[in-house]
């Protein structure tokens, strides 16, 4: 049987096969397209997310939600300049600190949230917190200026609707030590008192630190010694000043009681009051420095003359006595050394009221001090200036000045006789200071010798710091009563000194308000017992920091420069009387 082979090469495929191949290819293409679209969408989404992350982390501030910024009350300038002492020690600076606020819309269960928050901030009032958390407002302050520890504790509570906003806070590293000088600034960085207020615009606009004249080391010594005397004599307050006599720069200034400017919620009115610049007082016998200098400079008396102090002076209903009466003729050095009121009155009357008033004006005692603080007291002086005023002013009653004015006046008398206004800013030592002459150099030198005489032999012996040649004057004044007259038991006890008095560099003033006598002072509360010992210790402790070295007080050249020859008093008669 014969078989024939069939050639199929040219026979077309069945129609069904072709159809299957076409559908598969189409499905494959559709799947590929869908994958491509999905991948593109995911890639685009990741790009958007990445762009947002970069925008938030790089181009925007990494802070809390913008809700706080939209309130318009949280944008604070943080460029307030630092304040430093003469050696660059930081007295005031600005830090960024967190403050806590709430968006009540997101606070759940206000009472529960308030209770939880008070576990870490117990000083907050529960009812007040509930009211704030229930408010319809979108923003309310809860507590400003938190510590890092407080911020961490609040965060840990996890209370919804609580947020933090960084604010600038003024910090005072020296605390109460410089409180009355530096002052303080408020929450909005506006100066409220002290240097902060006087130089508010400069501090807010400036970047360089404001350098003051004070030295925190001397400030610490002054404060410690004044506080010691308050405690020892049960005083109600004190004031003290250390001043450079040649520039009138204030190296230290203290008013007690004081306050901590970092604790804004615990500042009393009494503590805020600056006794050194705002308080004006009748400074008692320290004014005999000016009375004696005035008489010597006008030439109405000399160091060799004297006055009859054997009897009290009676004028109208007033009687002027000496506390430690010698009941005899006293030379000018003795009047000063024994602090004779009678002798001082007669010296002043020889000068006359008009010239006395003019002299007090030259010393700056009739106008407010020019010191760079808003807290400046205006002196109290008589108007009209009657003879009785001339008498009482000679021994420090009837005129009231601030302690800084007294220190400035003494500096003017002992530095050669030139007055420079007191300042809390460090002066440029390369510039020539031009001041106003108030007494001659001859008078200035005579007053130095008299001041040393008081410490060596007079009422100021307790201020004698060995080797530092302290010269000074005591002052004990009765404070005026509210209903007129004076309070015999309410004293203002002070001592003002210059050292080294042969070539004065610094004036030190210590004043204690209403001291009470004790066993160590034999019941006395006078300037010689209360303030003079403090000045002695201040000089001894501060002198090394001020580069004042001890000297041999018995050296012939020093003894000659400070020698005071007291005229023979036996049988002497008064050179002036009325």
């Amino acid at each position: 049987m014969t078989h024939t082979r069939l050639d199929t090469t040219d026979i077309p495929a069945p129609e069904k096969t072709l159809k299957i191949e076409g559908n598969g290819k189409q499905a494959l293409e559709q799947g590929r397209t869908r994958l491509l679209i999905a991948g593109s969408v995911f890639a685009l989404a990741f790009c958007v997310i990445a762009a947002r992350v970069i925008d938030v982390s790089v181009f925007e501030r990494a802070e809390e939600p913008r809700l706080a910024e939209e309130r318009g009350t949280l944008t604070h300038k943080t460029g307030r300049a630092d304040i430093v002492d003469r050696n660059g020690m930081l007295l005031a600076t600005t830090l960024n600190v967190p403050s806590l606020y709430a968006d009540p819309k997101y606070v759940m269960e206000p009472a529960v949230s308030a209770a939880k928050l008070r576990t870490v901030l117990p000083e907050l009032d529960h009812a007040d917190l509930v009211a704030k958390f229930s408010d319809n407002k979108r923003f309310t302050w809860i507590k400003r200026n938190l510590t890092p520890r407080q911020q961490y504790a609040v965060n840990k509570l996890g209370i919804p609707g609580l947020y933090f906003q960084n604010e600038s806070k003024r910090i005072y590293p020296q605390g109460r030590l410089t409180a009355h000088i530096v002052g303080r600034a408020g929450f909005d960085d506006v100066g409220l008192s002290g240097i902060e207020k006087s130089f508010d615009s400069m501090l807010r606009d400036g970047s360089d630190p404001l350098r003051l004249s004070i030295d925190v080391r001397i400030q610490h010594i002054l404060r410690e010694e004044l506080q010691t005397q308050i405690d020892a004599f049960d005083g109600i307050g004190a004031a003290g000043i250390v001043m450079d006599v040649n520039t009138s720069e204030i190296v230290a200034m203290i008013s007690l009681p004081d306050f901590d400017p970092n604790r804004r919620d615990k500042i009393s009115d009494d503590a805020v009051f600056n006794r050194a610049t705002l308080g004006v007082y009748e400074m008692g016998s320290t004014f005999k420095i000016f009375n004696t200098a005035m008489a010597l400079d006008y030439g109405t008396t000399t160091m060799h003359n004297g006055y009859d102090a054997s009897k009290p002076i009676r004028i109208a209903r007033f009687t002027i006595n000496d506390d430690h009466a010698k009941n005899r003729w006293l030379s000018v050095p003795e009047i000063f050394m024994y602090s004779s009121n009678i002798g001082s009155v007669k010296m002043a009357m020889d000068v006359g009221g008009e010239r006395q008033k003019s002299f007090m004006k030259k010393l700056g005692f009739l106008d407010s001090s020019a010191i760079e603080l808003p807290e400046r007291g205006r002196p109290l002086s008589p108007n009209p200036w009657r003879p009785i005023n001339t008498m009482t002013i000679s021994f420090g009653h009837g005129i009231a000045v601030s302690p800084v004015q007294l220190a400035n006046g003494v500096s003017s008398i002992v530095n050669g006789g030139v007055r420079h206004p007191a300042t809390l800013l460090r002066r440029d030592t390369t510039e020539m200071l031009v001041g106003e002459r108030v007494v001659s150099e001859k008078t200035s030198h005579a007053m130095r010798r008299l001041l040393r005489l008081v410490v060596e032999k007079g009422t100021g012996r307790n201020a004698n710091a060995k080797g530092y040649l302290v010269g000074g004057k005591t002052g004990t004044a009765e404070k005026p009563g509210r209903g007129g007259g004076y309070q015999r038991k309410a004293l203002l006890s002070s001592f003002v000194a210059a050292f080294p008095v042969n070539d004065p560099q610094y004036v030190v003033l210590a004043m204690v308000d209403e001291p009470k006598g004790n066993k160590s002072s034999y019941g006395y509360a006078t300037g010689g017992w209360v303030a003079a010992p403090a000045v002695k210790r201040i000089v001894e402790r501060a002198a090394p920091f001020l580069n004042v070295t001890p000297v041999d007080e018995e050296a012939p050249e020093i003894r000659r420069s400070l020698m005071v020859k007291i005229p023979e008093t036996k049988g002497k008669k008064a050179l002036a009387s009325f």
Side-chain angles (χ1 to χ4, degrees):
M1 179 177 215
T2 305
H3 295 279
T4 305
R5 186 177 179 184
L6 180 65
D7 187 0
T8 61
T9 10
D10 296 325
I11 299 175
E15 184 180 341
K16 186 175 181 181
T17 304
L18 290 174
K19 185 175 182 179
I20 290 172
E21 288 179 356
N23 288 340
K25 186 175 181 181
Q26 184 179 1
L28 183 63
E29 290 297 329
Q30 287 178 347
R32 185 180 300 166
T33 301
R34 288 171 181 169
L35 285 173
L36 183 61
I37 292 172
S40 299
V41 170
F42 277 108
L44 181 61
F46 278 112
C47 288
V48 170
I49 293 171
R52 180 57 183 158
V53 169
I54 294 172
D55 179 53
V56 169
S57 60
V58 177
F59 297 106
E60 290 190 8
R61 293 177 298 167
E63 296 179 351
E64 296 296 332
R66 292 186 181 181
L67 172 64
E69 294 181 1
E70 291 170 0
R71 300 295 166 185
T73 60
L74 300 179
T75 302
H76 295 282
K77 186 175 179 65
T78 58
R80 194 170 180 88
D82 291 345
I83 302 174
V84 298
D85 84 339
R86 67 185 303 111
N87 301 311
M89 186 69 71
L90 197 61
L91 307 179
T93 190
T94 302
L95 299 178
N96 281 328
V97 294
S99 288
L100 179 65
Y101 69 93
D103 182 351
K105 179 181 178 181
Y106 296 107
V107 178
M108 297 181 293
E109 299 181 300
V112 175
S113 296
K116 287 178 65 178
L117 184 58
R118 290 191 70 250
T119 62
V120 296
L121 298 176
E123 66 275 15
L124 299 180
D125 181 74
H126 182 268
D128 183 55
L129 282 176
V130 172
K132 287 182 176 181
F133 290 163
S134 305
D135 205 326
N136 292 325
K137 295 188 298 184
R138 294 296 307 279
F139 171 86
T140 182
W141 281 120
I142 302 302
K143 183 176 175 61
R144 301 175 80 169
N145 299 155
L146 273 67
T147 65
R149 190 184 299 274
Q150 288 174 322
Q151 183 184 25
Y152 174 79
V154 172
N155 256 332
K156 194 175 179 182
L157 294 175
I159 301 174
L162 294 186
Y163 307 99
F164 296 96
Q165 172 70 39
N166 277 341
E167 292 190 287
S168 60
K169 181 183 180 182
R170 201 64 166 163
I171 303 295
Y172 302 96
Q174 305 301 327
R176 59 182 65 244
L177 184 63
T178 57
H180 287 101
I181 298 174
V182 176
R184 58 198 176 100
F187 283 115
D188 53 0
D189 265 358
V190 173
L192 300 177
S193 65
I195 291 293
E196 290 276 34
K197 183 174 181 179
S198 295
F199 293 89
D200 185 57
S201 296
M202 180 187 296
L203 291 167
R204 282 203 273 177
D205 296 338
S207 57
D208 294 331
L210 178 62
R211 190 176 294 267
L212 304 186
S213 60
I214 66 168
D215 185 327
V216 294
R217 301 170 301 177
I218 313 304
Q219 190 82 357
H220 173 76
I221 292 169
L222 182 62
R223 185 184 186 280
E224 190 170 82
E225 295 299 345
L226 289 176
Q227 188 62 58
T228 296
Q229 297 309 94
I230 289 176
D231 296 340
F233 292 92
D234 195 24
I236 65 171
I241 293 166
V242 178
M243 178 180 286
D244 186 316
V245 303
N246 296 307
T247 64
S248 291
E249 291 174 286
I250 294 175
V251 181
M253 183 171 73
I254 290 292
S255 174
L256 295 173
D258 51 23
F259 62 95
D260 185 350
N262 295 305
R263 300 294 302 274
R264 296 168 176 165
D265 56 332
K266 295 186 177 181
I267 301 177
S268 67
D269 291 340
D270 188 40
V272 168
F273 185 79
N274 189 342
R275 283 174 160 82
T277 63
L278 183 57
V280 292
Y281 310 95
E282 295 182 346
M283 299 300 296
S285 292
T286 56
F287 251 65
K288 289 171 183 169
I289 297 172
F290 313 116
N291 188 67
T292 306
M294 174 185 69
L296 292 173
D297 208 59
Y298 279 127
T300 56
T301 193
T302 71
M303 294 279 278
H304 305 290
N305 294 342
Y307 294 85
D308 183 5
S310 61
K311 297 178 182 178
I313 296 173
R314 291 181 175 84
I315 179 169
R317 58 188 178 90
F318 301 101
T319 300
I320 299 172
N321 298 290
D322 282 346
D323 289 335
H324 306 286
K326 300 300 177 182
N327 299 315
R328 61 176 174 83
W329 185 92
L330 296 176
S331 66
V332 168
E334 287 177 316
I335 290 171
F336 195 77
M337 178 174 62
Y338 297 132
S339 198
S340 169
N341 293 337
I342 298 170
S344 297
V345 167
K346 293 186 176 184
M347 289 169 66
M349 293 306 290
D350 276 357
V351 173
E354 286 299 319
R355 289 197 292 185
Q356 184 192 53
K357 182 178 180 180
S358 175
F359 190 74
M360 295 299 161
K361 185 170 182 61
K362 280 200 300 183
L363 287 168
F365 293 159
L366 304 186
D367 302 294
S368 297
S369 170
I371 194 164
E372 303 90 352
L373 291 179
E375 300 83 17
R376 295 176 297 162
R378 184 167 184 80
L380 302 177
S381 59
N383 185 24
W385 201 288
R386 297 187 175 94
I388 186 62
N389 303 122
T390 299
M391 293 180 185
T392 60
I393 288 171
S394 72
F395 53 88
H397 282 75
I399 187 171
V401 300
S402 65
V404 73
Q405 288 178 297
L406 178 70
N408 197 195
V410 175
S411 294
S412 305
I413 296 296
V414 302
N415 70 2
V418 179
R419 179 176 178 267
H420 305 288
T423 182
L424 279 166
L425 301 182
R426 186 171 182 178
R427 295 195 190 277
D428 186 350
T429 54
T430 62
E431 294 182 2
M432 186 70 178
L433 280 179
V434 178
E436 178 187 3
R437 179 160 294 281
V438 292
V439 296
S440 67
E441 290 189 21
K442 180 181 177 182
T443 299
S444 177
H445 188 263
M447 291 308 301
R448 296 177 202 169
R449 289 185 285 159
L450 291 177
L451 289 166
R452 180 58 182 166
L453 183 66
V454 169
V455 174
E456 283 191 317
K457 300 180 180 180
T459 56
R461 291 186 195 84
N462 287 331
N464 196 14
K466 189 171 179 59
Y468 291 110
L469 294 172
V470 175
K473 185 72 186 75
T474 52
T476 308
E478 296 173 359
K479 295 173 67 175
R482 291 183 179 179
Y486 290 88
Q487 307 173 70
R488 292 190 61 81
K489 293 186 177 181
L491 302 178
L492 203 67
S493 301
S494 58
F495 190 84
V496 61
F499 80 98
V501 77
N502 63 317
D503 181 21
Q505 295 183 43
Y506 296 94
V507 158
V508 180
L509 168 64
M511 181 190 82
V512 180
D513 195 354
E514 295 191 21
K516 287 82 177 174
N518 58 28
K519 186 177 180 180
S520 68
S521 68
Y522 305 97
Y524 291 105
T526 59
W529 285 103
V530 175
V535 169
K536 175 185 177 181
R537 297 193 300 268
I538 291 165
V539 170
E540 290 173 338
R541 294 178 62 187
F545 294 110
L546 297 172
N547 297 319
V548 179
T549 56
V551 297
D552 180 5
E553 297 179 5
E554 300 302 321
E557 64 276 12
I558 290 177
R559 297 302 300 172
R560 282 195 299 270
S561 69
L562 296 174
M563 185 180 297
V564 176
K565 185 176 181 180
I566 299 177
E568 177 63 42
T569 60
K570 188 177 180 180
K572 288 283 187 179
K573 301 294 183 182
L575 295 183
S577 61
F578 52 91

